[in-house]
Amino acid sequence: AQTVTQSQPEMSVQEAETVTLSCTYDTSESDYYLFWYKQPPSRQMILVIRQEAYKQQNATENRFSVNFQKAAKSFSLKISDSQLGDAAMYFCAYRSDMEYGNKLVFGAGTILRVKS
Amino acid sequence: EAGVVQSPRYKIIEKKQPVAFWCNPISGHNTLYWYRQNLGQGPELLIRYENEEAVDDSQLPKDRFSAERLKGVDSTLKIQPAELGDSAVYLCASSLVSYTGELFFGEGSRLTVL
């Protein structure tokens, strides 16, 4: 079974600075998808960014980018120019390409605090 | 477009009592999920529906949990009887049947069992 590990329970960043959240995963598959989801205090989770394992190019979405290291099974999220609205719990998630449907396996999450 | 709607937002019950949670997914989304999120943890899948069929319920504690999705739209998750360890946030999500991986989540139902 696939597992996702987020080793940083909590991170802090100064407004306008850059922060990187770490994620590692364990799988024997070669094709899969990785995601970062954001869960603000209201608890509604939203997708931040997605990466297909077959793509070598790292995904970017405005101030959010990933560093995908397939061999190392590492998938970190970089948030540039941090804003107060970025404060939330961030979850890394894995989806197998072998399985029909969108079953996601989540990590334990990292709380991100943004200081003004 | 309306998002995933869940109710109730909060529920406090005594142990051994029954409880039910309701979810209305985004219109047109074939796939519906129930996740359980314990405090400080990531969500864990309880059950996944494709239309009205439960295609993955391997993590659902079937001795006390049940779920249904009549007509492939709304869904209800029931716990009977509730135990102290069931205190958690129950998240409903929906998605189109696709490989994009984007799930749309509701705000969740926070259950406290006393």
Side-chain angles (χ1 to χ4, degrees), chain A residues 33 35 37 39 42-47 50 89 91 95-97 99-109, chain B residues 9 33 35 37 40-43 45 48 56 89 95-103 105-108 110:
Chain A
Y33 301 80
F35 309 86
Y37 274 83
Q39 188 177 43
S42 68
R43 298 201 308 275
Q44 188 167 35
M45 246 193 294
I46 56 174
L47 179 65
R50 156 195 316 123
M89 177 81 97
F91 291 97
R95 180 194 176 282
S96 168
D97 193 37
E99 188 173 332
Y100 183 73
N102 287 320
K103 178 179 177 178
L104 295 181
V105 177
F106 288 87
Chain B
R9 290 289 308 278
Y33 314 75
Y35 279 86
Q37 186 177 16
Q41 300 292 317
L45 181 69
R48 172 166 60 98
D56 185 353
V89 176
S95 71
L96 292 169
V97 178
S98 71
Y99 288 92
T100 64
E102 182 167 8
L103 272 62
F105 285 85
E107 293 183 307
R110 180 180 294 277

Side-chain angles (χ1 to χ4, degrees), chain A residues 66-111:
Chain A
V66 299
N67 183 4
F68 173 47
Q69 301 289 328
K70 191 171 184 179
K73 298 179 183 176
S74 170
F75 183 60
S76 61
L77 174 69
K78 185 171 82 171
I79 306 174
S80 304
D81 185 25
S82 296
Q83 300 174 0
L84 294 177
D86 295 333
M89 177 81 97
Y90 286 81
F91 291 97
C92 179
Y94 172 100
R95 180 194 176 282
S96 168
D97 193 37
M98 300 282 289
E99 188 173 332
Y100 183 73
N102 287 320
K103 178 179 177 178
L104 295 181
V105 177
F106 288 87
T110 296
I111 297 172

Side-chain angles (χ1 to χ4, degrees), chain B residues 61-75:
Chain B
K62 297 181 183 63
D63 57 336
R64 298 183 301 106
F65 286 65
S66 64
E68 60 182 11
R69 190 184 184 196
L70 299 176
K71 300 181 180 179
V73 182
D74 294 4
S75 178

